[in-house]
Amino acid sequence: MVYTVKTYNNINKIGLRELGNGFQIDGDHKENPDAYIIRSENLHGATLPENLVAIARAGAGTNNIPIDVATDQGIVVFNTPGANANAVKEAVLASTLLSARDYIGATSWVNTLTGEDVPEQVEAGKKQFAGSEIAGKTLGVIGLGAIGARIANDAVRLGMNVIGYDPYVSVETAWGLNRAIIRATEIHDVFKNSDYITIHVPLTEETRNTFDREAFDLMGKDVTVINFARGELVDNTALFDAIETGVVKRYITDFGTEDLLNKEKITVLPHVGGSTEEAELNCAIMAGQTIRRFMETGEIINSVNFPNVKQTLTTPFRITLINNNVPNIVARISTRVSDAGINISNIINRSKNDHAYTLLDLDESDEQKVQALADEFNKSEHIVKVRIIKK
């Protein structure tokens, strides 16, 4: 079987090779494909094709995808966490150094000088850019996922004191954190005790405006805030007041909006934190591998709207079901298979919020019987999406 994939935003071609020969990329069926691989394409308000079963975002953030709509239509949405983590880490550390020494301002100033006495002018004016060192200063890291953990560990190696806050930190990440990192039990501890603060959390209703008036009121003077996660994590109106009162020394962000541009003490970058050749390749490779695994086996890894589900396929056919998470649904599924005269070799069902995902491995080699069973599932109440996978 050949699966069709539509790409957006110039996905790295080397990474797309991970899909293999069983995939047609941007071919004749690109208007009704089986899967999307995207980067920044905004899908909000777009009509998702009937055949679409998967969307892979070549990056970590998925705010450009209508997750609820996709879930209700039985479309699994994937991201590529960690694939661009090193690129963003380096961007944040560079921003920390830029803030400490104001290299950008210094370069702009020296390029205004003219005359044969430029060396003398440089010596006379350089004191305004003396800055400070980051060693011994305190960095607060909000969110200790793939990016935040790397930043925290490397900041320790650079001689900084580090406070980390993440109520959902994984056991695996916790094991990899430097012992010198202080764990904050409340986010307020980060605001109160940091010279530099960087945030690395997804944008949700809970995290929106994490940096609000209350947060800025808790800070001391001359704090640098670095935001390479999402622009909406910062209340800009409260930020402007914090800059005016001297609470915030500099704000560096990767998310430009008109109200942030051409303002003193604000540095806006054009969303380049994860934009390195290496990161784009890593994201494309990971997205390709994820889509191939899902299409060929039905297994789910790194989905933002469905649970991770892995089960080795050993039978001739597998049916995957996306269903509403209602009582007795697994029993109803099993009964339907039994009524079709087919034996279940393995079954796994995992739920997430209002939906669940089921893998049915069938001891049946008659493809017509399996297709008839899939047709019955398609007619069933609470079944959203049905796929047949042949070993």
Side-chain angles (χ1 to χ4, degrees):
M1 181 174 182
V2 176
Y3 299 104
T4 58
V5 178
K6 183 175 182 178
T7 65
Y8 291 90
N9 317 119
N10 297 318
I11 306 299
N12 187 289
K13 297 296 188 294
I14 296 176
L16 290 175
R17 293 176 189 171
E18 295 295 321
L19 289 169
N21 295 328
F23 290 79
Q24 184 184 64
I25 303 170
D26 294 330
D28 295 336
H29 298 86
K30 66 179 181 180
E31 298 309 317
N32 195 16
D34 299 304
Y36 282 169
I37 298 181
I38 72 172
R39 288 176 61 199
S40 58
E41 180 72 13
N42 185 3
L43 298 181
H44 288 280
T47 300
L48 301 178
E50 182 180 352
N51 282 353
L52 195 68
V53 296
I55 300 171
R57 162 76 165 89
T62 55
N63 296 94
N64 55 322
I65 302 171
I67 303 296
D68 291 343
V69 173
T71 303
D72 289 341
Q73 293 183 214
I75 300 169
V76 182
V77 179
F78 300 92
N79 66 349
T80 57
N84 65 353
N86 191 70
V88 178
K89 176 205 74 175
E90 291 184 0
V92 170
L93 293 177
S95 297
T96 304
L97 292 166
L98 287 173
S99 172
R101 302 293 294 273
D102 192 16
Y103 291 116
I104 294 176
T107 300
S108 298
W109 172 77
V110 80
N111 276 288
T112 66
L113 305 181
T114 59
E116 295 182 359
D117 64 338
V118 164
E120 289 76 14
Q121 294 181 60
V122 167
E123 290 303 316
K126 69 180 184 181
K127 289 182 180 179
Q128 61 186 307
F129 302 107
S132 62
E133 299 180 11
I134 63 172
K137 305 301 189 298
T138 299
L139 172 68
V141 182
I142 300 172
L144 293 168
I147 297 171
R150 290 181 184 223
I151 292 169
N153 284 337
D154 280 6
V156 169
R157 297 184 184 105
L158 290 171
M160 301 189 78
N161 305 311
V162 179
I163 301 174
Y165 173 76
D166 191 335
Y168 309 109
V169 64
S170 69
V171 174
E172 181 179 357
T173 298
W175 275 105
L177 290 173
N178 191 300
R179 292 185 179 182
I181 297 169
I182 300 170
R183 181 184 176 188
T185 56
E186 298 289 340
I187 195 171
H188 291 173
D189 295 333
V190 174
F191 297 142
K192 291 177 181 178
N193 297 292
S194 300
D195 302 301
Y196 300 84
I197 304 175
T198 181
I199 185 166
H200 301 279
V201 300
L203 176 64
T204 65
E205 286 309 308
E206 181 182 355
T207 62
R208 185 182 298 274
N209 292 333
T210 294
F211 290 89
D212 56 11
R213 292 190 184 280
E214 180 182 357
F216 290 121
D217 286 344
L218 292 170
M219 298 179 192
K221 293 289 185 178
D222 295 330
V223 178
T224 293
V225 176
I226 301 171
N227 178 12
F228 278 76
R230 281 292 176 268
E232 295 86 349
L233 298 171
V234 177
D235 179 342
N236 288 348
T237 301
L239 169 69
F240 299 151
D241 289 342
I243 291 174
E244 183 70 24
T245 58
V247 171
V248 172
K249 179 178 74 173
R250 181 163 295 279
Y251 177 56
I252 302 176
T253 181
D254 209 21
F255 304 94
T257 55
E258 186 177 9
D259 58 339
L260 292 174
L261 301 180
N262 301 305
K263 282 190 168 55
E264 189 178 0
K265 299 184 180 180
I266 295 179
T267 301
V268 181
L269 300 172
H271 203 185
V272 294
S275 296
T276 64
E277 293 181 7
E278 296 87 348
E280 290 181 8
L281 174 59
N282 291 339
C283 287
I285 288 174
M286 195 169 178
Q289 291 173 340
T290 299
I291 288 295
R292 179 175 182 175
R293 184 172 190 164
F294 176 69
M295 298 306 298
E296 293 184 345
T297 72
E299 293 184 328
I300 294 178
I301 303 294
N302 294 327
S303 172
V304 299
N305 60 339
F306 285 95
N308 287 344
V309 180
K310 294 190 288 184
Q311 181 169 276
T312 302
L313 178 58
T314 59
T315 57
F317 289 97
R318 164 176 287 174
I319 288 181
T320 72
L321 303 171
I322 291 177
N323 53 270
N324 300 127
N325 188 19
V326 296
N328 299 318
I329 188 68
V330 175
R332 296 182 211 174
I333 291 170
S334 299
T335 299
R336 186 62 58 87
V337 177
S338 177
D339 289 345
I342 298 175
N343 182 57
I344 299 174
S345 175
N346 288 300
I347 182 172
I348 184 171
N349 174 275
R350 295 285 184 271
S351 63
K352 187 171 184 176
N353 300 322
D354 295 332
H355 291 80
Y357 186 67
T358 304
L359 295 183
L360 281 172
D361 290 349
L362 307 175
D363 282 329
E364 181 58 62
S365 57
D366 188 334
E367 189 166 357
Q368 290 185 342
K369 287 183 66 175
V370 174
Q371 183 62 58
L373 176 61
D375 292 341
E376 288 298 313
F377 280 132
N378 271 315
K379 301 174 186 176
S380 301
E381 186 182 11
H382 301 303
I383 301 295
V384 179
K385 185 84 76 175
V386 182
R387 293 180 58 218
I388 299 175
I389 295 173
K390 188 175 182 180
K391 186 172 181 295

